[in-house]
Amino acid sequence: MSGLLNYLILLLAAAFFSPHLIKKGGKAAPWLLGLVSAGGFGYLLSYAKFIAAGNTLNYTIEWLPELYLNFTLYLDGLSLFFGLLVTGMGALVLVFSGKYMEPYPLKHRFFFLMLLFEFAMLALVLSGNLFTMFIFWELTSVSSFLLIGFNHEKPEARNAALQALLITFAGGLAMMAGFIMLGQMAGTLEINQLLQSGYLIRSHPHYLPALLLILAGAFTKSAQFPFHFWLPGAMQAPSPVSAFLHSATMVKAGIYLIARLSPVMGGTPEWRYILTITGAITMLLGAYFAFSQTDFKKVLAYTTISALGTMVLMLGIDTDISVKAAIIFLLVHALYKGALFMVAGLIDKSVGSRDLRKLGGLYRVMPKTAIAAIISLLSMAGLPPMIGFIGKELIYEAKFAMPDIGNILLVAGVVTNVFMVAISLALIFNLFLVPLKYPGKKPKPPALALRIGPLLLAALSLIFGLFPAQVAQLLLKPAIIAIHPSIDTLKLALWHGFNEVLLVSFITVVAGIAFFLLYRNINAALTRFNSNVLHFKFVSAFNRGLDLFIKLTKKKTSFIQSGYQRYYLMAIFLMTAGLAWYQLIYTWQSWGTFVRPGMLEVILVMILVSATLFAVTVKSRLAAILSLGVAGYSIALIFIIYGAIDLAITMLLVETLVLVLFMVVVYHLPKFSNLSSEASRFRDAIIALLVGGFMTGLVIKSLQLDLSPKISEFYTENALALAFGKNVVNVILVDFRALDTLGEITVLAIAAIGVVALLKLKTRKGSAT
Amino acid sequence: MEILLAIVVGLLYAAGVYLLLRRSIVKLILGIMFFSHATNLLIFVVGGLHKGQPQYTANGIAAVANPTDPLPQALILTAIVIGFGITAFFLALMYRFYQTTGTEDLDDMTEGENL
């Protein structure tokens, strides 16, 4: 099992080494990197038999088991299936990128990011702990952000990248909260343990909030309505990125998460309704919008959204047949969509445009690529003998078998597929079969490195369609069993015999062809409809929301961060007073016993009080300073009365020193002036009394605390025996707590240095000193 | 007596807060000094009051019956000295501030810092 960890480390090392390799390695470098990825594919494939026999692997490095945080890798049918998808697609895309990215000066950076993504994505699907998964989940978001914004000199690319990042990160944060709740419920975040505690979690009162939070993560990542709009924007990325991240792998992370947690959280009515409704809306919207696009990549992006919606819908229905359909459709989609995105990039590269209105008849220029594209498009349309046909048949079957809202879903599915058939046929005819049409100079046939990916994927679409049994037994069945352990058979075939499913398929195809024949008219009508009726633009709504948020934040910040010292102090005082008063009133017990004070004390207190009031209100600075001194001396006298001789001596000395110091500088200081208004002085007096009041209450409350046994009993007992001193206060200062005194001396020294520095320092602008 | 001193502590704190909220920098430093007085007295009162009983010891037992707690006194002693250091530093800083800026109004310091 640690072999998987070693491979992950190898992949990460390859990522960091790749910039150097690309710079120095020439044409062979991308092939080499592709080989690293293909090696991972082969390595994972070597586990296939073992996993198909019903085994799983778990490898844990404990980090903080008390908080369920571990680094765990877990390999079962589902993660193996996704792992093969990631490494296999990675190998093809890396080779494709080698040629595609040739003219880019920053291509070494591109390869680093692609490999970093591949590492993160593979680690995500192999994670056996939800926290491990979360980390890699976010890492895929970061690498996606950097790759969408790869053409960073284009403002659209930067905006699209930021938008994708904000949406996926917001979802990721929600998901993390959901994971934490899940951990609290089950007492673990390990996937193999969570799989055992499904009942506990589903019957827990916090089930629904946790489900919603986790689904927020899955839906944002997998571009489900209403978060779907970041995916078409992500088409700003170079085509290899679209093929790899935004169709075949990263956007399927949400699907993976839903599938992974299906045995833990699935099967409840909440699960069923949220997933089916979201999935169905996304599926329909994606297909509808795909139909009226003119940019080849945008068409593919919207059909991807539609396909992701279909997968969520299938996992939501959560029957044996629907889970089978979801996994098979996932494979189908990865095969044809990966190929088509590469074809889109290839056409863009060799013809110089992706605008469907400017292209045509490309079969004459690139026959092999055209055949690969046509096979893939037929698979997308769900026509035999491609594997897409099997996928679509299963989806229909699952909808037929769904009890309550199956009919509505079936209609939605048929409508979606009619669009898909029409889009596929329109692409086949307009791109490849009509007379040759291209902008600019005559296109050249594409290089092998560009062709190999689409050709291989298209071949797989065809081979898996003709001979589905092997791949079904070895890879698909274990993946499906990981979601629904009760499934025991998986039989795939092109020919199911005459039944209602075949009839619906037939109707779909006929309607799709009719749609295609009326393509131009319908397309024009739809475009008019869209611009007149569907005014609502998700992207601009998102941007408006973002602007509003930033404005609010600015207002809030300039309100709180006023820049005036006294407002900060006021906030601190008011907060403290508010909290302390609340506690005081809430826990008040008594005033304690009142001991009649002696005459001397009363006189001292009266002097202290009047000196204080005088210092606060007097206009003359000299009088204020002197009355402060009077207050200080009164406190010293109180110390004497209550037996604190050392304190009194120190206090008297310090007060005298401070007075002398003040006198020295006072003539260099400005006269008191009344800067604030009557009203603000009144307000400050109230704040002051609030603070003073709770301090009084605090003293009275703390006098009622019983502090015995006191720490000082130790000092009293040992002062003479250990420190050979009779004055306990002095002994504490110079012996028991001598380090405190050392600190005190240090503070004094620093203050002295500061004073000297301040007084000696010459002002730079030569103002009066 | 404790209640009376508690009220005095509160009053000293109130005086400190009021002065800290002024715009004049001279009043700011007076406020800080009141705060330090108030805190010293607070610790002293909370430590327990025992009239006329200085803390001396002989042979490991207190020389007098019912003595004052020595620990708060030690803490206050440290606090007084540190308070003095802060006051001296603040005085120098204030002097310097006034020499350099020619103003005592703290609000003038915010110029150009507003968001």
Side-chain angles (χ1 to χ4, degrees):
Chain A
M1 185 63 189
S2 63
L4 285 179
L5 181 63
N6 290 342
Y7 179 69
L8 282 175
I9 293 170
L10 173 74
L11 206 54
L12 190 62
F16 280 96
F17 186 61
S18 62
H20 184 73
L21 192 68
I22 293 291
K23 273 185 194 161
K24 307 274 166 182
K27 281 194 168 40
W31 290 90
L32 202 63
L33 292 173
L35 206 63
V36 172
S37 189
F41 183 83
Y43 180 66
L44 281 172
L45 205 58
S46 71
Y47 279 104
K49 275 237 161 66
F50 176 73
I51 296 293
N55 301 303
T56 59
L57 283 171
N58 204 59
Y59 176 74
T60 304
I61 300 172
E62 286 198 344
W63 179 41
L64 204 59
E66 294 80 7
L67 291 177
Y68 328 127
L69 305 183
N70 296 315
F71 179 84
T72 306
L73 297 177
Y74 177 68
L75 190 70
D76 68 349
L78 190 63
S79 41
L80 180 71
F81 175 64
F82 272 87
L84 287 170
L85 206 63
V86 172
T87 47
M89 199 59 85
L92 296 178
V93 169
L94 284 170
V95 169
F96 179 81
S97 311
K99 189 76 192 164
Y100 186 89
M101 300 303 289
E102 220 165 35
Y104 287 77
L106 292 177
K107 60 180 178 218
H108 54 283
R109 220 182 265 180
F110 179 84
F111 275 89
F112 166 69
L113 290 172
M114 287 293 262
L115 280 160
L116 184 71
F117 166 76
E118 189 178 338
F119 160 76
M121 189 67 206
L122 186 61
L124 189 163
V125 297
L126 292 178
S127 293
N129 179 297
L130 289 184
F131 184 74
T132 316
M133 188 196 275
F134 171 75
I135 289 174
F136 293 116
W137 180 284
E138 296 296 62
L139 190 55
T140 60
S141 291
V142 173
S143 44
S144 160
F145 163 74
L146 292 168
L147 283 166
I148 297 171
F150 186 73
N151 295 321
H152 52 77
E153 64 284 354
K154 275 168 51 186
E156 308 93 61
R158 293 200 301 270
N159 288 341
L162 183 65
Q163 189 176 300
L165 183 79
L166 287 176
I167 292 170
T168 47
F169 264 20
L173 275 179
M175 186 183 80
M176 183 175 74
F179 282 175
I180 293 170
M181 290 178 77
L182 210 57
Q184 300 289 337
M185 286 185 237
T188 179
L189 285 175
E190 299 293 313
I191 284 169
N192 62 351
Q193 289 166 22
L194 279 172
L195 291 175
Q196 311 300 323
S197 40
Y199 176 74
L200 184 78
I201 288 165
R202 283 191 297 270
S203 55
H204 196 280
H206 292 160
Y207 165 75
L208 187 61
L211 178 69
L212 289 176
L213 287 169
I214 291 174
L215 286 183
F219 285 175
T220 47
K221 197 82 163 177
S222 285
Q224 295 298 298
F225 175 84
F227 311 113
H228 61 278
F229 56 91
W230 71 263
L231 189 55
M235 293 302 126
Q236 293 288 342
S239 289
V241 178
S242 311
F244 194 23
L245 274 72
H246 301 127
S247 69
T249 56
M250 191 191 86
V251 289
K252 296 209 172 80
I255 309 294
Y256 172 75
L257 181 68
I258 293 173
R260 182 92 280 174
L261 292 179
S262 175
V264 184
M265 306 187 90
T268 60
E270 294 95 328
W271 172 277
R272 206 162 276 192
Y273 282 109
I274 296 170
L275 287 182
T276 45
I277 291 169
T278 313
I281 293 175
T282 313
M283 173 179 86
L284 266 178
L285 266 186
Y288 174 77
F289 282 119
F291 193 70
S292 48
Q293 299 298 319
T294 51
D295 180 345
F296 192 8
K297 273 180 78 178
K298 283 268 167 72
V299 175
L300 295 177
Y302 278 108
T303 54
T304 304
I305 292 176
S306 177
L308 292 168
T310 309
M311 290 171 216
V312 170
L313 169 64
M314 284 299 122
L315 288 171
I317 294 176
D318 201 31
T319 54
D320 285 359
I321 183 80
S322 82
V323 170
K324 283 181 194 172
I327 290 298
I328 288 157
F329 185 61
L330 203 151
L331 175 67
V332 169
H333 177 255
L335 290 176
Y336 76 68
K337 199 53 69 67
L340 287 176
F341 265 118
M342 285 193 243
V343 168
L346 178 160
I347 290 175
D348 193 8
K349 190 105 287 194
S350 51
V351 186
S353 175
R354 299 193 312 246
D355 192 333
L356 294 173
R357 290 164 300 190
K358 293 181 187 156
L359 300 169
L362 296 174
Y363 180 81
R364 282 162 195 80
V365 191
M366 40 181 96
K368 286 182 196 139
T369 316
I371 288 172
I374 289 168
I375 290 176
S376 300
L377 284 167
L378 288 177
S379 189
M380 173 161 124
L383 293 176
M386 313 309 158
I387 192 174
F389 176 72
I390 300 177
K392 191 194 60 180
E393 297 281 289
L394 273 172
I395 291 170
Y396 278 165
E397 209 180 323
K399 284 171 185 164
F400 265 117
M402 168 113 185
D404 39 2
I405 53 171
N407 289 333
I408 304 168
L409 291 179
L410 190 65
V411 173
V414 169
V415 172
T416 306
N417 277 319
V418 167
F419 274 119
M420 288 293 184
V421 171
I423 292 166
S424 304
L425 291 177
L427 286 174
I428 291 173
F429 278 87
N430 293 341
L431 271 178
F432 300 110
L433 300 184
V434 293
L436 187 60
K437 187 166 75 170
Y438 49 86
K441 63 180 187 334
K442 189 174 163 61
K444 290 191 292 271
L448 175 69
L450 292 178
R451 252 177 6 213
I452 188 166
L455 281 175
L456 214 61
L457 290 174
L460 286 178
S461 280
L462 185 60
I463 293 169
F464 288 165
L466 292 173
F467 311 103
Q470 280 74 17
V471 68
Q473 290 311 316
L474 193 62
L475 296 176
L476 298 177
K477 198 178 135 196
I480 294 163
I481 286 175
I483 307 173
H484 265 211
S486 54
I487 295 173
D488 51 358
T489 55
L490 176 67
K491 286 210 176 73
L492 298 180
L494 282 173
W495 181 246
H496 286 272
F498 290 104
N499 54 18
E500 54 200 343
V501 175
L502 194 69
L503 183 69
V504 174
S505 278
F506 185 71
I507 294 170
T508 311
V509 173
V510 170
I513 292 170
F515 243 61
F516 158 66
L517 293 176
L518 299 167
Y519 180 72
R520 302 240 171 255
N521 303 336
I522 291 174
N523 206 352
L526 282 183
T527 313
R528 266 203 309 282
F529 178 74
N530 285 351
S531 62
N532 292 335
V533 183
L534 291 179
H535 277 303
F536 189 74
K537 293 260 188 303
F538 286 94
V539 176
S540 52
F542 176 80
N543 288 337
R544 269 204 306 279
L546 203 61
D547 286 345
L548 197 69
F549 176 71
I550 290 172
K551 258 187 211 145
L552 276 177
T553 319
K554 267 190 184 150
K555 274 211 179 118
K556 185 214 78 187
T557 309
S558 59
F559 174 70
I560 295 175
Q561 304 288 344
S562 59
Y564 292 101
Q565 186 219 215
R566 58 182 193 282
Y567 290 127
Y568 295 107
L569 286 177
M570 230 178 263
I572 295 169
F573 287 142
L574 280 175
M575 271 309 286
T576 319
L579 292 172
W581 273 111
Y582 171 77
Q583 272 296 321
L584 268 183
I585 293 169
Y586 202 65
T587 63
W588 189 254
Q589 281 161 334
S590 75
W591 284 87
T593 47
F594 185 78
V595 184
R596 225 183 131 80
M599 202 58 197
L600 187 60
E601 290 103 304
V602 172
I603 292 171
L604 271 177
V605 165
M606 277 167 68
I607 294 172
L608 182 50
V609 168
S610 31
T612 306
L613 292 177
F614 192 66
V616 170
T617 50
V618 74
K619 292 263 187 296
S620 147
R621 358 167 234 178
L622 205 58
I625 293 159
L626 283 175
S627 43
L628 184 74
V630 171
Y633 286 128
S634 322
I635 292 173
L637 288 176
I638 291 174
F639 286 157
I640 290 182
I641 292 178
Y642 289 100
I645 299 163
D646 308 271
L647 285 191
I649 296 167
T650 320
M651 191 85 182
L652 286 171
L653 279 173
V654 164
E655 276 310 299
T656 315
L657 260 176
V658 168
L659 274 183
V660 171
L661 266 180
F662 242 118
M663 289 304 158
V664 171
V665 290
V666 78
Y667 285 104
H668 299 286
L669 290 179
K671 294 210 159 54
F672 275 4
S673 48
N674 266 331
L675 294 168
S676 39
S677 65
E678 198 72 37
S680 66
R681 263 183 279 166
F682 183 66
R683 176 199 61 200
D684 294 347
I686 289 181
I687 296 172
L689 287 176
L690 278 174
V691 174
F694 86 70
M695 289 311 290
T696 301
L698 210 66
V699 174
I700 291 171
K701 257 193 90 65
S702 53
L703 279 170
Q704 292 158 23
L705 289 177
D706 182 17
L707 290 173
S708 58
K710 292 181 176 178
I711 311 169
S712 37
E713 277 168 18
F714 167 81
Y715 295 133
T716 310
E717 278 164 26
N718 294 300
L720 193 63
L722 292 179
F724 308 106
K726 287 186 176 172
N727 183 334
V728 184
V729 176
N730 284 358
V731 167
I732 291 175
L733 281 174
V734 299
D735 194 305
F736 290 126
R737 306 194 59 87
L739 269 181
D740 284 6
T741 310
L742 187 68
E744 172 196 330
I745 293 168
T746 315
V747 169
L748 274 189
I750 292 170
I753 294 169
V755 169
V756 172
L758 279 171
L759 295 183
K760 292 275 177 192
L761 203 74
K762 290 270 187 296
T763 39
R764 214 172 296 158
K765 283 187 180 164
S767 55
T769 21
Chain B
M1 188 60 198
E2 279 89 350
I3 295 173
L4 203 57
L5 282 181
I7 292 167
V8 170
V9 168
L11 187 74
L12 287 171
Y13 270 113
V17 168
Y18 182 79
L19 288 170
L20 280 177
L21 291 176
R22 302 298 89 214
R23 278 160 67 179
S24 156
I25 192 166
V26 187
K27 289 183 184 169
L28 187 75
I29 186 173
L30 289 177
I32 287 174
M33 288 165 78
F34 267 113
F35 250 69
S36 109
H37 281 341
T39 309
N40 293 342
L41 200 58
L42 170 93
I43 300 172
F44 190 69
V45 177
V46 168
L49 296 175
H50 301 281
K51 222 170 186 177
Q53 309 285 358
Q55 238 328 312
Y56 279 97
T57 174
N59 304 324
I61 45 160
V64 289
N66 194 16
T68 322
D69 195 341
L71 191 59
Q73 292 191 26
L75 295 178
I76 296 167
L77 207 65
T78 312
I80 292 174
V81 178
I82 289 180
F84 168 68
I86 290 171
T87 307
F89 180 74
F90 212 112
L91 269 174
L93 188 66
M94 182 177 70
Y95 169 75
R96 193 73 200 170
F97 171 76
Y98 184 60
Q99 294 294 320
T100 314
T101 62
T103 179
E104 60 152 342
D105 190 350
L106 284 169
D107 283 11
D108 290 348
M109 290 175 78
T110 62
E111 263 175 40
E113 282 178 25
N114 279 330
L115 285 166

